[in-house]
Amino acid sequence: MSVDRADLGRGDPAGMLAASRERASKAATVRAAQVEMRRAAAEADPSVWSGASRESFIVAAAAAATELETLASRWEAESAALSTYGSGVQEVQDQQRIMQLRRAAAEGDLKTARTDLQSATLDLQTSYWATGGDTEEARRLLDRANEIFVVTSQRSRALEQE
């Protein structure tokens, strides 16, 4: 598994979490086998079973239990890593969705502001030509057009930075 530095949210969090659960289940199964191996070695009663074969069994069971412990630890480590990574990818994907929604809202606001600017500009031109020049209404419309221009410029810069 590798991390895509260009898209940290790339991947299937649900699949990663399912793989984590599968490994945790395998680890539990192996841990149970390990306990049974240790129990079998401990229950090799010398009054019932004695000699070299008993000693060989105890040594082999202990070695097998140690190997099973190592295997279970690996499954548990993989499970933990997949769980952590899957949760992290899910969190990144959630943040990406939020950012996409914010961007869409900002683009909508920018579109509205541009429409308002065009409308205010047309109103200003109409007022200017209808009144023959500098009037209070024309100055008010010009101020409004300038305000809208500032907002659209700020929104455009913000979207470019995302």
Side-chain angles (χ1 to χ4, degrees):
M1 185 178 315
S2 63
V3 175
D4 183 350
R5 300 259 183 238
D7 181 7
L8 297 177
R10 183 174 178 200
D12 177 15
M16 290 175 212
L17 295 175
S20 172
R21 287 188 300 275
E22 178 183 325
R23 282 164 175 77
S25 175
K26 288 179 181 181
T29 300
V30 171
R31 284 263 180 231
Q34 173 208 356
V35 168
E36 288 302 314
M37 289 300 291
R38 292 210 190 277
R39 182 177 297 136
E43 291 175 352
D45 189 349
S47 65
V48 176
W49 185 10
S50 63
S53 64
R54 177 182 174 273
E55 295 303 319
S56 293
F57 171 76
I58 291 172
V59 169
T66 300
E67 288 180 23
L68 289 171
E69 182 176 359
T70 300
L71 181 59
S73 294
R74 288 181 184 163
W75 283 118
E76 289 164 348
E78 285 184 24
S79 173
L82 282 165
S83 178
T84 299
Y85 187 63
S87 296
V89 169
Q90 182 64 58
E91 187 176 323
V92 169
Q93 288 178 356
D94 292 345
Q95 289 299 317
Q96 286 174 331
R97 275 191 282 285
I98 289 168
M99 289 169 54
Q100 288 169 347
L101 292 172
R102 286 181 181 165
R103 183 180 179 96
E107 287 173 345
D109 291 347
L110 182 58
K111 184 177 179 182
T112 299
R114 285 182 176 147
T115 301
D116 289 349
L117 177 60
Q118 289 173 341
S119 177
T121 301
L122 288 173
D123 289 348
L124 175 63
Q125 289 171 347
T126 301
S127 175
Y128 182 82
W129 292 113
T131 62
D134 189 25
T135 67
E136 185 63 33
E137 178 66 13
R139 281 192 297 275
R140 186 187 66 72
L141 290 172
L142 182 58
D143 288 344
R144 177 70 179 133
N146 285 333
E147 288 172 13
I148 294 170
F149 177 75
V150 169
V151 169
T152 57
S153 296
Q154 290 170 342
R155 291 286 182 161
S156 291
R157 279 192 299 276
L159 286 173
E160 288 171 3
Q161 292 174 354
E162 287 183 3

